[in-house]
Amino acid sequence: MGSTSHSKGRLNRALGELSLDVPFALVIVVASSLVAVLDVVSTVQALVGLPVLLFLPGYALLLALFPAGSSGGAVEGPSFGRFEWQPNLGLVERLALAFGMSVALLPVVGLSLLWAGVGLAPAPVIAALSAVIVGGLAVGEVRRRRLPEAERFHVPIRRWYADVVRSFDQPSRVDSLLNVALAAAIVLAVASLSYALVAPGTGESYSSLSLLTRDAGGEFAAADYPEALTVGEQSTLFVSVENDEGEATSYTLVAELQRVERVNGETTVVERQALGSRTETVEDGETWRTRHSFAPTLTGEDLRLTYFLYEGDAPAEPSTDTAYRSAYVWVTVTEEPTGGADAGDDAA
């Protein structure tokens, strides 16, 4: 029994002497830097990068500014005279301020990167925040080492561990089990919150399809669509497909000119002219814009010029029911001599 108590005492002293905040923060910084440049799962990138974005920059700056513990005191300051007063920052206050300061630093870092022409890609953002963290931790650790040990800020690992061990030494095991259950509940709550913040939502992936025209200045707009067409005369529309599916996606775009009728409140296609199709693989977050030229052969009023978008291959007879996305405009096509122009389609 004496040997066991002696071992616990040595372990308590060892834990009490450890200052784990700096090495733990450095491990997270290195891990986030690695996942930022490696092709890993986006959820892993977010989980590892979340502390670098929302906690560690503020924590490092607070450690550099206020290395003393919650008791306060006079601390030697290299640039503000010999002494400066340290406020009473307990662990809870320090953690809350670390989060607030980290959030406040994000736009500063972002504007600095934009001003430098680097951009806001994950790698440079993580690198800039890592530099802030490492610099703050280095200054904070040097200043903390200059303080008497009793005045230094530290995460009370020894006290936490001793409280847990002491609870198991009590005659009743109920308190011990409650402590373990409480600790497990806290860990589970933090893990659940972190996952909820960074896990990709199940309903957030989508693709968008839009029809565009281009004015004389070269600007695209979803307006001024052609309304009156002539048989055999070439007309042009631009089709834009935006991929926000979370992964590279293969699309098939199909165009048709349709004569439709409404029967019993339902729209039925009674005649159709195929105007061509095209398949393209679009990377996640990219937009595919294609120019579609066509020459109608159907004539009549209120013909439906329809574009169908499919993921993968398209069926032999496309429809709005089977298409992933669809868009259309109403046109009128009239007969008029065109000098023998050939009908066709062109996608570029």
Side-chain angles (χ1 to χ4, degrees), residues 114-158:
L114 291 175
W115 178 80
V118 177
L120 297 178
V125 171
I126 293 296
L129 292 173
S130 298
V132 173
I133 294 169
V134 172
L137 292 176
V139 174
E141 186 63 17
V142 170
R143 298 192 64 205
R144 180 162 58 181
R145 293 286 181 179
R146 291 178 179 177
L147 295 174
E149 186 173 354
E151 296 180 6
R152 298 175 186 173
F153 165 74
H154 69 284
V155 181
I157 297 176
R158 178 184 180 185

Side-chain angles (χ1 to χ4, degrees), residues 32-72:
S32 65
S33 300
L34 288 176
V35 300
V37 298
L38 298 178
D39 186 17
V40 298
V41 181
S42 58
T43 301
V44 176
Q45 291 182 350
L47 283 172
V48 177
L50 195 63
V52 176
L53 293 175
L54 299 180
F55 179 73
L56 289 180
Y59 183 87
L61 290 182
L62 282 172
L63 184 62
L65 293 172
F66 311 119
S70 58
S71 60

